[in-house]
Amino acid sequence: MRAAPFAYLRPNSLEEVFAALAQFGDEAQLLAGGQSLMPAMALRMARPGVLVDISRLGELRGIALEADALVFGAGTTYSQALRSPLVAEHAPLLALAIPHIAHEAVRSRGTLGGSLANADPASEMPACMLALGAQVVLRSAEGERAVPMEEFALGTYTTAIEPGEILAAIRVPLPETARRTRFREIARRSGDYAMAGAALVSDEAGEARFVLFAVSDRPILVSGAPNLDAVLAGIDTEVEFFPDNHAGIATKRHLAGVLARDLLSRSALKEAA
Amino acid sequence: MNDMTRPIGRAMPRAAARRHAAGRGRFVDDIAPAGCLHVAFLRSPHAHARILSIDLTAALDLPGVVDAFDGPACAELCKPWIGTLDHFPGLRSPEQHALAVGVARWSGEPVAAVVATSRAIAEDALDLIEAEFEELPAVTDIEAALDPEGVRIHENYDSNLAFRLDLNAGEPDAAFAGAAAIVERSFRFNRQTGVTLEPRSLLADFQPGTGELTVHHSTQTPYQMHDVYSRHFGIPEERVRVVAPDVGGSFGLKLHVYGEEMATVAASIRLGCPVKFIADRYESFLTDIHLRDHRVRARMAVAADGEILAMEVDDATGIGPFSVYPRTSAVEGNQAIRLMGAPYRMQSYKGTLSVLFQNKAPTCQYRAVGHPIACMATEALVDAAAGALGLDPLDIRRRNVVPDDAYPYRTANGYMLEGLSHQACLEKLAALMDYDALRRDQAEARARGVHRGIGLAVFVEITNPGPAFYGVGGARISAQDGCTVKLEPSGAFSIAISITEQGQGTEAIAAQIAADRLGVSPERISVVSGDTRTTPYGGATWASRGAGIGGVAVMKAAEAMRANLLDLAGTILQASPEALDIREGVIVDAETGTERMSLAELGRILYFRPDTLPPGTHPLLTVSGHHVPQGYPFAFTNGIQASHVEVDPDTGLVKLLGHWVVEDCGTIINPLLVDEQIRGGVVHGIGGALFEECNYSPEGQLLSTTLADYLVPLASEMPDIRIAHVATPTKTSPLGAKGVGEAGTAASGAALLNAVNDALSPFGAVLAETPLSPERVLRALGKV
Amino acid sequence: MTLDARTDMPVSLTVNGRRTAGIVPVRQTLAGYLREELGLTAVHLGCEQGSCGACTVRVDGEVMRACLVLAVQAEGCVVETPEGFSGDPAMDRLRERFATRNALQCGFCTGGMLVAARDLLAREPRPSRHAIREAISGHVCRCTGYEAIVDAIEAASHGGTAP
């Protein structure tokens, strides 16, 4: 199938993006890396009236180390993040997770911001950013606001982005003590969306954030980490499981337990990067 | 002649591989004639629905749209077809139209066509068609199709049964009554589809002035399609031409008649200009043939010493709403039910086959037709029997295979086997994989809580089918093949062959065979295939028949040419033809090898200076040869495969650690190509057993319609595959070659199934449903 | 400000070392442009959804699915298709090894495979077999079972250090 007809616009600045969003309203669809949007359009499941191409906006590029956070421009591609020494040093969880995202030819174009904004519950980036306690920076003609990941992903393909807003950046807070991270996903083939996945961030003070993804309608921060029993109890009570083509609810629930045991067992915590 | 220099048996790269590696393949979609239009199809959104109305007005009004038509309009040009053949007595299937008329019977069945200046515009127009359907109750699973009180798909039939076959040999009841052990399994083999990477593709070009139809078609059987286009559109055979350019994978998928292809030809006839149809991936999943949708209940009786006494099999298979034209959808079940137990001495057998209509995409022949079903059921039962008797899986097979000195041998199901080599293959495999060491490793791993399994699968594979396969049933599918050889003035040769190329190396082996007989290097042979106007008529490529049938046609043509050339050279050299030979492009003295004249010099004289030949000499410089297998209805190949896996009992994931194949395809013409046929075939079988599944909703909506949902094997999960050969040349073919395209696929899934069950045996878990998804593994383990 | 959203747009880019320019419908993908406008038909379409890898090309030095990029998005870019890479010794070695190892059958996946393999050798001149399998795991081949492709890439990597 070929995409249904649309009009195309390539703004040269964020200001122009805001103008486009105001001018075309609901018709407008932002195009970042396009690695999810383009297939959806090719299946005619997505039929935007006006495609607003933000893939070249310099204002959305770059990875910067600030005093309290590592800040990703929303247009940062997976490949750029994976190559970044800043990521290796300050957010190694992303370096663990990104190789699991599809394949090289997709990672070269897909963006961190696009992944968060698309809010596919099986995606790795929203889960990692939630585990890292990241904030999403939303900008509009009126100004900017920061939304914690806990309040950003609202459901399958649904986020807290309001009309007129654009996801501009992601702020990953720098830890006060050394951070250990683990990541695992269970997939039938390399590069596939996971049947279930988990990310764990823990620090030396004993604080830990355990996030499940690809099991529900959004990544789930399960309470109780790093205590395994508490997390297992949390999986039973806090997670609403959703099936997909490869795994039903019972399988998702079982795999969530497998991931928790794997990532939270004492030896695993020690081994974490 | 030194055998090392002979082309037959040499591992040689294909000329075509260099062309593709340079980016110069030429597939149907790469051909873009001026004024070419593009077609897209409106499809039934329901699994079963009455078509109330189709209003094309708005679609026709869209700029860029040239034509639009529905089923009845298409039927004015294209005669409907019926997918039955006389050698399946009782097989029934109703008339099928290119575009559904009146009732649509699977979700995705084409109901109307739009032709536009681009595919995108044609798709835009589909949105503008106003079609009304009345949804009817759908039959979507095999048990429901069997229900005598249930919904019937075809009003005129008393049930959903398309075909039934009962087999009875020996004394199965007595064998089961006297057995030391009886093992039983209820298998579910879920639907797959083919997924050729190049989708179905066709470019039809009807010339209104001359009434000629030229079709560039991604097909493996251009002659069959030539005949179909001629008869169903009423165009004289001599005004049809079918050309198969590069074909991007076929595997059986591209030899069936599909409504879209026929409607595209109809569109070209309506418009008098070229019209192209390139299936997109979504419509490939919806409308390419599906395969191997079987529910098999099977049991096996064994004596205390491990002798397999009998099998009893009840196979119910769902084929969709029609038996596919022109080869029928009875063949897969027929071969599955007849190949059960084929490697073994067992002489008692009872089999029942029910071929059932359902409201799903039609199923039909695909690589290793029916073999994986027969092999998985048989080999799983053999392992179960070994388990019941405390025998090693290799040992029980050693005790039961038909001995290598027992041929010719008639199986319980009546297949006459000319000469197989199970014992030799078994022993070679045990050494190749170091079976005993792997068993030791398995025990050590288990002690560490690592669950590895080893699975074996012996197989018999049908190749080189003779006229009994289709021709006797009334199908106009040739059982013979041909080759024409032409001497070029330079002493090179060009050959035209009726067997076709889809990447397996048909052209390369044809060149090797011709070169072998003509005494030149294969580089001196150019090959034409796939064009019904420029090549001899033949059956083309399917059922692993290329080398064993078409190869012999090449051999015969080349031998005739060689005899002509030696005669002519003898005349020129005033020598007896018997005293001459052709070696490395040179006519030599046969005894001494002394050069007498080059083929180039002979060619120069024959073409440009025939005045120097004796009066009355009229050299025959283009000759043909044809071949049809006689005697045995098929050749059979055999082999054994082994799979080594590690199963994670927590996740249900299966990791493939290794795979081994020992097989016997008779004389090997090109070992490089043969081994890659086996590897590719093995991975097809692994795909079916591990990943591939056409998931339907209970209402009959296909859910796996993308490559993200329908999982094909990727490089990351596949193992390296070790291959060895035993060669028992078939006497039915002068080349001794039996065919190898399907051997890999026949048994790899069975080996994998057995390996997974072997790995899980400490848990008492048994899987009998494919694909072996993590969820099914976890279910078998009682974890979900 | 009022912005002009367009359904056709000019585009100019460099493909296999040649400058090209034209006006394209905005919904045309880069794959469609390369195939239909430039005749670079080694860019094969196996799914048009980014899943099969057959249309993989190199854009400004990075591999991409040409079916998931619009032609207009390639404005000003340097694009290399399987027909290109002329004078690239690593690609020459890959092509040679693919042919001699019979690492392709129907040839439909081959262009994308070669581009992915070339990209791998640029990042990792001596990849392990595991790394090779991972690098081509976004590419569907239905013919070979992959082993011959892995062998060919491995052999090509041993034939010299990729630049």
Side-chain angles (χ1 to χ4, degrees):
Chain A
M1 256 185 276
R2 306 283 158 88
F6 57 85
Y8 174 90
L9 186 64
R10 190 191 302 133
N12 292 308
S13 64
L14 274 181
E15 194 187 343
E16 279 186 24
V17 175
F18 300 137
L21 294 177
Q23 185 179 332
F24 298 106
D26 286 349
E27 285 286 283
Q29 166 70 54
L30 297 179
L31 171 66
Q35 301 300 289
S36 298
L37 177 60
M38 289 283 289
M41 288 169 60
L43 285 163
R44 297 199 174 210
M45 293 193 305
R47 295 177 178 232
V50 179
L51 209 51
V52 180
D53 182 358
I54 56 170
S55 65
R56 293 187 167 216
L57 276 185
E59 292 160 86
L60 299 179
R61 289 279 166 136
I63 305 170
L65 185 64
E66 296 185 359
D68 59 345
L70 186 63
V71 182
F72 294 90
T76 304
T77 65
Y78 299 122
S79 297
Q80 288 164 351
L82 194 57
R83 286 195 296 260
S84 163
L86 290 173
V87 169
E89 187 179 348
H90 299 288
L93 176 63
L94 301 184
L96 291 178
I98 287 172
H100 292 270
I101 301 172
H103 307 283
E104 188 67 28
V106 169
R107 296 194 287 264
S108 65
R109 198 146 177 96
T111 66
L112 271 55
S115 173
L116 296 191
N118 189 46
D120 186 321
S123 282
E124 291 83 354
M125 281 304 100
C128 290
M129 292 304 180
L130 178 57
L132 290 165
Q135 289 190 323
V136 174
V137 179
L138 303 179
R139 212 170 283 166
S140 68
E142 281 71 46
E144 134 177 344
R145 62 183 179 123
V147 179
M149 273 306 297
E150 285 88 336
E151 295 162 24
F152 179 72
L154 303 179
T156 305
Y157 304 129
T158 311
T159 69
I161 300 174
E162 295 287 340
E165 281 186 328
I166 173 170
L167 195 165
I170 305 135
R171 298 179 65 86
V172 175
L174 298 178
E176 287 170 13
T177 63
R179 216 157 37 186
R180 291 167 179 278
T181 56
R182 287 202 78 200
F183 180 89
R184 184 180 173 193
E185 62 178 53
I186 298 168
R188 294 178 69 179
R189 303 178 308 176
S190 173
D192 280 351
Y193 278 119
M195 295 192 295
L200 174 71
V201 175
S202 58
D203 64 24
E204 289 177 347
E207 296 295 311
R209 291 166 70 87
F210 176 78
V211 173
L212 285 172
F213 66 97
V215 297
S216 187
D217 67 338
R218 72 196 85 173
I220 306 288
L221 179 66
V222 184
S223 65
N227 182 293
L228 173 60
D229 290 336
V231 167
L232 290 175
I235 288 170
D236 277 343
T237 55
E238 295 168 17
V239 184
E240 186 190 354
F241 287 91
F242 283 61
D244 62 31
N245 267 351
H246 302 294
I249 286 173
T251 299
K252 297 264 187 194
R253 186 185 300 278
H254 168 79
L255 294 177
V258 169
L259 289 166
R261 285 188 192 89
D262 181 12
L263 267 59
L264 290 163
S265 70
R266 199 166 296 169
S267 61
L269 285 171
K270 275 188 196 151
E271 282 166 17
Chain B
M1 232 182 258
N2 180 350
D3 273 350
M4 292 297 287
T5 67
R6 291 207 43 175
I8 289 181
R10 249 161 72 191
M12 302 181 63
R14 300 180 295 131
R18 290 191 186 280
R19 187 165 53 81
H20 286 293
R24 294 300 300 273
R26 187 166 175 270
F27 299 86
V28 169
D29 197 20
D30 303 341
I31 303 165
C36 183
L37 301 174
H38 302 263
V39 65
F41 293 95
L42 183 74
R43 301 181 178 284
S44 171
H46 307 293
H48 196 189
R50 189 160 285 117
I51 303 166
L52 299 179
S53 66
I54 296 176
D55 183 348
L56 302 166
T57 318
L60 283 163
D61 280 348
L62 186 73
V65 171
V66 180
D67 192 15
F69 54 94
D70 61 8
C74 189
E76 288 172 20
L77 287 169
C78 178
K79 291 191 196 84
W81 54 84
I82 296 175
T84 61
L85 289 172
D86 296 343
H87 62 317
F88 294 111
L91 171 63
R92 60 183 177 176
S93 187
E95 271 191 351
Q96 185 180 2
H97 288 274
L99 304 176
V101 173
V103 177
R105 291 186 174 86
W106 84 88
S107 174
E109 183 175 7
V111 299
V114 173
V115 186
T117 51
S118 77
R119 170 77 188 208
I121 292 172
E123 288 179 19
D124 296 343
L126 295 181
D127 288 347
L128 303 173
I129 296 177
E130 289 184 28
E132 275 188 283
F133 296 90
E134 176 196 343
E135 198 173 350
L136 299 170
V139 181
T140 59
D141 79 24
I142 286 174
E143 298 305 332
L146 278 167
D147 181 359
E149 306 299 316
V151 173
R152 279 178 290 132
I153 292 174
H154 300 293
E155 286 175 1
N156 300 338
Y157 292 167
D158 58 353
S159 72
N160 291 315
L161 190 71
F163 179 61
R164 188 181 160 96
L165 180 66
D166 290 290
L167 299 171
N168 210 317
E171 295 178 16
D173 294 341
F176 275 94
I182 295 171
V183 288
E184 194 164 351
R185 290 268 189 280
S186 192
F187 298 96
R188 187 68 180 86
F189 304 113
N190 286 295
R191 247 173 201 255
Q192 303 164 224
T193 185
V195 192
T196 57
L197 196 55
E198 180 209 24
R200 281 165 34 222
S201 304
L202 178 139
L203 171 63
D205 190 358
F206 181 76
Q207 300 279 345
T210 62
E212 286 192 40
L213 173 71
T214 302
V215 182
H216 284 82
H217 190 172
S218 180
T219 177
Q220 57 193 94
T221 52
Y223 313 95
Q224 172 200 299
M225 293 313 303
H226 185 129
D227 172 71
V228 165
Y229 296 137
S230 169
R231 285 187 294 111
H232 287 269
F233 291 98
I235 303 170
E237 198 168 45
E238 66 278 13
R239 293 208 194 117
V240 176
R241 178 180 191 179
V242 176
V243 183
D246 285 330
V247 173
S250 188
F251 317 116
L253 193 153
K254 293 176 179 171
L255 50 62
H256 309 293
V257 170
Y258 293 93
E260 289 86 351
E261 278 82 331
M262 300 299 273
T264 304
V265 172
S268 180
I269 295 171
R270 283 167 67 98
L271 298 166
C273 67
V275 180
K276 189 186 271 188
F277 167 64
I278 309 293
D280 66 33
R281 191 49 62 189
Y282 178 67
E283 53 196 349
S284 296
F285 280 113
L286 287 177
T287 64
D288 286 358
I289 54 128
H290 291 184
L291 42 132
R292 295 179 193 147
D293 186 358
H294 290 247
R295 187 273 287 142
V296 178
R297 297 191 184 119
R299 55 189 200 135
M300 179 179 277
V302 281
D305 65 355
E307 185 189 351
I308 300 168
L309 302 171
M311 282 178 76
E312 192 176 320
V313 179
D314 175 5
D315 180 3
T317 176
I319 59 164
F322 298 99
S323 170
V324 172
Y325 184 68
R327 291 169 187 250
T328 86
S329 301
V331 179
E332 182 184 273
N334 180 63
Q335 291 194 173
I337 200 90
R338 288 181 191 274
L339 283 164
M340 298 275 178
Y344 301 113
R345 284 181 287 116
M346 165 196 95
Q347 281 293 319
S348 291
Y349 180 79
K350 190 188 283 184
T352 303
L353 171 70
S354 305
V355 177
L356 300 158
F357 296 118
Q358 334 154 274
N359 293 113
K360 292 181 175 176
T363 73
C364 205
Q365 282 82 295
Y366 187 80
R367 195 175 201 173
V369 184
H371 293 64
I373 305 297
C375 197
M376 281 195 274
T378 303
E379 294 300 302
L381 288 177
V382 171
D383 268 19
L389 297 170
L391 291 172
D392 180 90
L394 184 62
D395 189 34
I396 194 171
R397 288 176 171 83
R398 279 186 179 125
R399 294 177 190 212
N400 280 286
V401 291
V402 177
D404 294 357
D405 60 6
Y407 295 96
Y409 186 87
R410 186 181 293 277
T411 70
N413 291 321
Y415 283 134
M416 197 65 196
L417 309 174
E418 179 212 6
L420 304 183
S421 56
H422 290 305
Q423 291 176 319
C425 288
L426 236 64
E427 297 315 321
K428 202 160 193 173
L429 180 90
L432 182 72
M433 69 189 289
D434 200 345
Y435 182 80
D436 296 334
L438 278 187
R439 284 286 176 211
R440 286 193 297 276
D441 165 83
Q442 179 181 37
E444 285 162 22
R446 266 185 197 159
R448 289 183 280 121
V450 173
H451 297 280
R452 294 189 180 143
I454 300 160
L456 303 174
V458 183
F459 67 93
V460 167
E461 196 224 328
I462 297 171
T463 72
N464 295 5
F469 217 56
Y470 289 115
V472 297
R476 294 172 67 84
I477 298 166
S478 180
Q480 68 78 52
D481 277 279
C483 172
T484 296
V485 180
K486 175 175 70 170
L487 173 72
E488 303 291 355
S490 69
F493 296 91
S494 60
I495 65 174
I497 53 175
S498 65
I499 47 174
T500 53
E501 171 78 51
Q502 296 85 40
Q504 65 277 71
T506 300
E507 292 184 349
I509 63 147
Q512 280 177 265
I513 294 165
D516 191 85
R517 292 305 196 265
L518 289 166
V520 297
S521 123
E523 287 79 22
R524 297 288 287 162
I525 312 270
S526 63
V527 186
V528 177
S529 72
D531 182 342
T532 61
R533 183 153 294 174
T534 60
T535 60
Y537 201 94
T541 300
W542 43 274
S544 299
R545 65 190 298 288
I549 301 175
V552 179
V554 175
M555 186 196 83
K556 288 180 173 175
E559 285 177 350
M561 172 61 84
R562 171 195 167 82
N564 283 359
L565 295 181
L566 289 178
D567 272 349
L568 291 160
T571 302
I572 294 166
L573 299 167
Q574 297 184 332
S576 153
E578 290 77 38
L580 299 173
D581 194 6
I582 313 175
R583 292 177 202 167
E584 293 171 43
V586 176
I587 309 277
V588 297
D589 185 286
E591 206 157 292
T592 63
T594 311
E595 174 169 345
R596 301 296 305 275
M597 73 190 300
S598 69
L599 281 181
E601 175 61 7
L602 181 61
R604 186 190 68 81
I605 294 168
L606 296 176
Y607 281 111
F608 307 126
R609 294 300 307 274
D611 55 304
T612 64
L613 298 174
T617 309
H618 296 284
L620 204 53
L621 304 176
T622 303
V623 299
S624 291
H626 290 260
H627 182 69
V628 65
Q630 288 168 350
Y632 290 86
F634 313 100
F636 287 89
T637 76
N638 70 284
I640 178 166
Q641 301 196 24
S643 174
H644 188 212
V645 303
E646 188 172 303
V647 182
D648 181 342
D650 287 333
T651 61
L653 289 169
V654 175
K655 185 177 181 187
L656 307 177
L657 302 174
H659 198 97
W660 296 263
V661 181
V662 178
E663 75 78 61
D664 183 348
C665 62
T667 303
I668 292 175
I669 296 162
N670 183 328
L672 177 68
L673 307 187
V674 160
D675 284 1
E676 295 321 311
Q677 279 302 294
I678 291 172
R679 288 199 172 90
V682 164
V683 168
H684 267 216
I686 289 173
L690 194 56
F691 290 125
E692 300 183 34
E693 182 169 6
C694 295
N695 253 312
Y696 276 87
S697 75
E699 299 76 32
Q701 295 296 334
L702 184 61
L703 303 174
S704 35
T705 56
T706 71
L707 285 168
D709 297 309
Y710 185 92
L711 307 183
V712 298
L714 296 175
S716 36
E717 284 71 40
M718 289 304 107
D720 282 344
I721 298 163
R722 287 192 64 192
I723 297 167
H725 301 277
V726 169
T728 311
T730 174
K731 297 178 204 74
T732 62
S733 158
L735 269 174
K738 300 182 191 174
V740 75
E742 300 166 283
T745 309
S748 57
L752 177 57
L753 174 66
N754 281 348
V756 169
N757 279 328
D758 185 44
L760 296 178
S761 60
F763 301 97
V766 176
L767 281 116
E769 181 170 5
T770 58
L772 303 162
S773 65
E775 189 159 87
R776 291 193 179 110
V777 172
L778 292 171
R779 231 180 261 148
L781 287 163
K783 295 195 172 179
V784 301
Chain C
M1 104 181 62
T2 301
L3 297 156
D4 186 18
R6 308 182 54 166
T7 54
D8 290 286
M9 268 180 87
V11 65
S12 68
L13 60 162
T14 302
V15 182
N16 297 336
R18 293 184 198 165
R19 295 283 302 278
T20 173
I23 293 177
V24 299
V26 297
R27 70 166 152 170
Q28 185 168 44
T29 63
L30 177 60
Y33 178 75
L34 294 170
R35 286 182 55 78
E36 292 161 26
E37 305 303 322
L38 304 186
L40 296 168
T41 54
V43 179
H44 292 143
L45 293 173
C47 73
E48 300 175 271
Q49 300 159 9
S51 295
C52 80
C55 69
T56 302
V57 298
R58 202 157 76 170
V59 180
D60 289 346
E62 290 201 281
V63 285
M64 290 177 193
R65 307 284 201 234
C67 71
L68 297 187
V69 180
L70 297 172
V72 290
Q73 290 187 289
E75 168 64 30
C77 291
V78 174
V79 176
E80 288 149 292
T81 74
E83 292 95 337
F85 296 88
S86 68
D88 176 351
M91 186 58 106
D92 289 345
R93 285 199 304 278
L94 283 165
R95 286 183 175 134
E96 175 68 17
R97 294 297 188 170
F98 267 60
T100 55
R101 179 59 189 85
N102 202 40
L104 63 97
Q105 290 179 29
C106 80
F108 205 77
C109 74
T110 307
M113 283 284 185
L114 284 167
V115 173
R118 181 64 192 86
D119 180 62
L120 170 67
L121 296 187
R123 286 180 284 121
E124 227 176 310
R126 288 291 179 93
S128 66
R129 288 180 76 79
H130 175 76
I132 294 170
R133 284 189 177 274
E134 282 294 320
I136 60 168
S137 68
H139 296 257
V140 173
C141 169
R142 286 297 267 175
C143 297
T144 63
Y146 301 106
E147 185 172 334
I149 297 174
V150 176
D151 290 347
I153 296 171
E154 189 178 36
S157 76
H158 291 163
T161 307

